[in-house]
Structures are given as structure tokens and as C-alpha cells.
Amino acid sequence: MIAEYFKSKKIVITAGPTYEKIDPVRFIGNYSTGKMGYAIAEELAKLGSEVHLVSGPTALKVQNPSIKLYPVESALQMYDACVNLFPDCDIAIMSAAVADYRPKYYQDVKIKKNEEDLMIHLVKNPDILSALGHAKKSNQIVIGFALETHNELEHAMDKLQRKQADAIVLNSLNDPGAGFKHSTNKISIILKKGTIFEFPLKEKTEVAIDILNCIAENLA
Ligand code: C5P
């Protein structure tokens, strides 16, 4: 079922962190490694999907030569790439840890440490998942991720509604072995209609298969 469903589907996936430039040597980033998104991309490529992987800066390499990689650095670049790709895609899987804010002004010379206090004015980045969720047609599926530290389910439900996603993959920073830096993850998947699926701690490659099975069985 899963192989048949994903064969020849066109899929856009985001992965990794974004870097938001402050000056030529500094940026605002986060600890995302991109492992979850890359694992999903590799699994889909094996199943015969046409995979478009929009990746923030990461040390990972794409293994399957059929995966089309779009390396980006900032949230704005990631947004542009996704908005261009999405209209022709069947599914969007937004697993990147996108920076919520970017510096309003880029300093084109290195900031010197002259002041005791330094303020960096930040402005909000566009929300890629929300943009695709609101643009999606009835034959398109949009999946988001949520990493929460408290009231996980409540926040994930709220995200699902607000961003008009079909499902949210929730991982909690409170679960040992889940989230950033680990090769394992422990997820729950929450569907738009309210159904919740819980999974035990697994390698991210196996988690990728659980996510794809869940899409094929419940959203196809
Ligand atoms: O609101 P929060 O950042 O927790 O939402 C997480 C989900 O939204 C992830 O799927 C992430 O990839 C996506 N997101 C996005 N663009 C943003 C912020 C988050 O696509 N600017």
C-alpha cells in the first residue's frame, strides 16, 4: 500500500535549521541537524517519489541521487523555494526548524564590541507551513512538525488549526532521546480530524516509515 501510494508522487520536504545573518561572521541559528527530514526524503526516494528537499545548513549528505536538493540558508530563501515548488506537488512535509525571527538590519561589517549592551532588532519570518496550508488545494496534503517543551498536545492541536495542516508530527523535548541532536525520535501524529497516534522511541529512519505509513493509511 505504502509503496504503491508514494510511487511517482511529487513531494517537497524542508529540513534542518535556518541561519539568519547578523553580520558577515554571525547568525541566529538553532540545534536542528536535519536528520528527520533527510530520513523522510531518503525513504520517499526509495519508494519512487519525486523528492524536492529544501535544506537549511547541515552536515548531512543526500544519499539517493534521485533526490533534488535545494540548499538554502535563511527562512526567506526557504520560503521562496517552497512557495515555488508547492503548486505542482502532491505533498509538503515541513520538518525544518525555521527561525521565527530574523535581524531587521544586516550589518555588512563585523559588529565591534564597543557597547556594554547590544540590541538586535528582530522581525518575524513568514511561516512556510502556514503559507502552504492556506494555499493547498483539496488534492494536496500538508504535514507539519512541532517540537514542544510543555502542554505539547494542546500546542500541537492549535498549530494544526492555525496553519491549516492535515497532520502534525509532535516530538517533545521532555522525552529522552527525542528531538534535536539524537538519531532517535519519539513522536505522536495528530490528524486534522483529531485522531492521535503514539509511537515508541525509534531510529529516525524507522520514524520516517511510521510517518509515511500514517499518511498513506489516513490521508490518501
Ligand atoms: O510554530 P512552530 O515553529 O513550532 O511550528 C513548527 C512547524 O512549522 C514545523 O513544521 C516548521 O517546519 C514550520 N514552520 C515553518 N515556517 C516558520 C516556522 C515554522 O514552516 N517560519
Side-chain angles (χ1 to χ4, degrees), residues 14 94-100 125-130 143-148 159 162-163:
T14 63
M94 304 284 100
S95 71
V98 185
D100 292 327
N125 273 326
D127 192 305
I128 306 163
L129 172 62
S130 181
I143 312 290
F145 278 68
L147 181 73
E148 304 291 345
K159 222 159 272 187
R162 244 185 322 113
K163 304 194 186 198

Side-chain angles (χ1 to χ4, degrees), residues 30 42 65 77 96 100 104 120 130 146 152 157 178 184 186 196:
N30 60 67
E42 294 290 347
Q77 291 167 348
D100 292 327
K104 181 167 187 180
I120 298 176
S130 181
E152 291 98 331
M157 294 282 205
T184 51
K186 185 172 179 302
I196 300 169

Side-chain angles (χ1 to χ4, degrees), residues 29-40:
N30 60 67
Y31 293 120
S32 170
T33 59
K35 277 182 190 153
M36 194 63 252
Y38 274 63
I40 298 171

